[in-house]
Amino acid sequence: MYIEEFVLSPGTQITFFADASGSVATSLPRTNVLRENSTLKASMGFESAAPDWYPTTTTHFELTAPTWSSDPNLPFSQSASERLSIMFENTKSTTQNLKLSISLWAEAQSRDTTPSTSPVPEPATYGMLLGGLALVAGAARRKRVR
């Protein structure tokens, strides 16, 4: 979301506040083949119209469910809140044109990383095939001899 451009007169200051709250979670046990993660991000900042020399042009809030834990079989859940604030003070003798940007981003993934199986049969499979063929050939030969 963008708040359109605004003009800040010389010698004035403006402060923006935004309350961000959210939660992240994993619900399934972590295994070698199943991985879950979730992330929530919120940010607020002045767009490129803010001067490069200004010290703080963005503020962030981020929650991420860890990809590891002490007990991988337990689900993980975390919630948090934070007040984002950003201030700009125009100390110049000219007006400043500014544009404020507020964004929220959330992601949740569940991935099945099961390794694909090899299409090549194992040696024991070939042995059983040859043994079966030998039995069938032997039975066919016995029938023919009589």
Side-chain angles (χ1 to χ4, degrees), residues 24 37-41 105-109:
V24 292
N37 67 0
S38 56
T39 303
L40 173 72
K41 294 180 185 179
W105 181 75
E107 174 187 45
Q109 292 182 351

Side-chain angles (χ1 to χ4, degrees), residues 21-83:
S21 62
S23 60
V24 292
T26 59
S27 59
L28 300 173
R30 181 176 173 80
T31 64
N32 288 337
V33 296
L34 180 65
R35 289 187 169 73
E36 278 189 312
N37 67 0
S38 56
T39 303
L40 173 72
K41 294 180 185 179
S43 66
M44 182 168 58
F46 293 114
E47 290 288 305
S48 59
D52 294 334
W53 53 263
Y54 200 74
T56 306
T57 57
T58 60
T59 183
H60 297 281
F61 167 70
E62 182 172 347
L63 279 175
T64 301
T67 55
W68 61 271
S69 67
S70 58
D71 186 351
N73 296 315
L74 293 177
F76 174 85
S77 178
Q78 178 182 16
S79 296
S81 296
E82 187 172 320
R83 174 165 273 194

Side-chain angles (χ1 to χ4, degrees), residues 59-127:
T59 183
H60 297 281
F61 167 70
E62 182 172 347
L63 279 175
T64 301
T67 55
W68 61 271
S69 67
S70 58
D71 186 351
N73 296 315
L74 293 177
F76 174 85
S77 178
Q78 178 182 16
S79 296
S81 296
E82 187 172 320
R83 174 165 273 194
L84 303 177
S85 68
I86 193 164
M87 184 269 297
F88 187 88
E89 183 175 5
N90 187 2
T91 58
K92 300 290 186 184
S93 60
T94 59
T95 60
Q96 290 286 329
N97 294 336
L98 298 173
K99 194 181 284 188
L100 180 71
S101 159
I102 299 173
S103 65
L104 178 64
W105 181 75
E107 174 187 45
Q109 292 182 351
S110 291
R111 294 180 305 236
D112 181 1
T113 59
T114 306
S116 60
T117 57
S118 173
V120 178
E122 295 194 18
T125 306
Y126 285 121

